[in-house]
Amino acid sequence: LFEAIFAGCIPVILSDDVQLPFPELPWETFSLKWPMRRVTGGYLSRYLGHLEQLAPSLKQNVDRHACWFDYHSMDDLCSPLYALTAQLRHLRAEPSE
């Protein structure tokens, strides 16, 4: 996932149960999630073939969010380290059950 985004590719997530990192990111704007039960039968390839109009927007958003996956990011407010520490702060602030 990180490699695909860092390479500038639109990730296609083939999983029903994946827990995506950095849940505060708008994943639907720069990735495609496809259910495993629909991978066979040509459904996925037909779907991907109809994304010509959506692809430029997805690609633009991949580029916009790539800093979240770049461990060498120079942007202090957009890096994996920043996202992970923000998640830890959020978890620490949640009341215990």
Side-chain angles (χ1 to χ4, degrees):
L1 182 62
F2 278 50
E3 293 88 355
I5 292 170
F6 196 63
C9 299
I10 300 166
V12 178
I13 302 162
L14 302 176
S15 176
D16 297 325
D17 301 317
V18 68
Q19 294 283 357
L20 295 171
F22 318 136
E24 67 280 354
L25 292 180
W27 284 92
E28 67 282 354
T29 67
F30 64 93
S31 66
L32 300 169
K33 190 163 188 250
W34 191 260
M36 287 300 296
R37 69 185 176 282
R38 301 209 54 212
V39 170
T40 58
Y43 299 115
L44 178 59
S45 60
R46 282 196 298 275
Y47 175 71
L48 294 175
H50 289 91
L51 292 177
E52 274 186 53
Q53 293 178 341
L54 184 59
S57 173
L58 288 168
K59 171 62 171 129
Q60 183 178 30
N61 287 324
V62 165
D63 294 341
R64 182 178 298 131
H65 292 91
C67 59
W68 292 106
F69 303 90
D70 180 1
Y71 284 98
H72 302 287
S73 175
M74 301 303 278
D75 185 341
D76 291 340
L77 299 178
C78 187
S79 71
L81 179 59
Y82 180 82
L84 289 171
T85 54
Q87 279 183 310
L88 290 172
R89 269 194 303 275
H90 176 74
L91 289 173
R92 186 175 175 200
E94 286 183 357
S96 304
E97 292 180 30

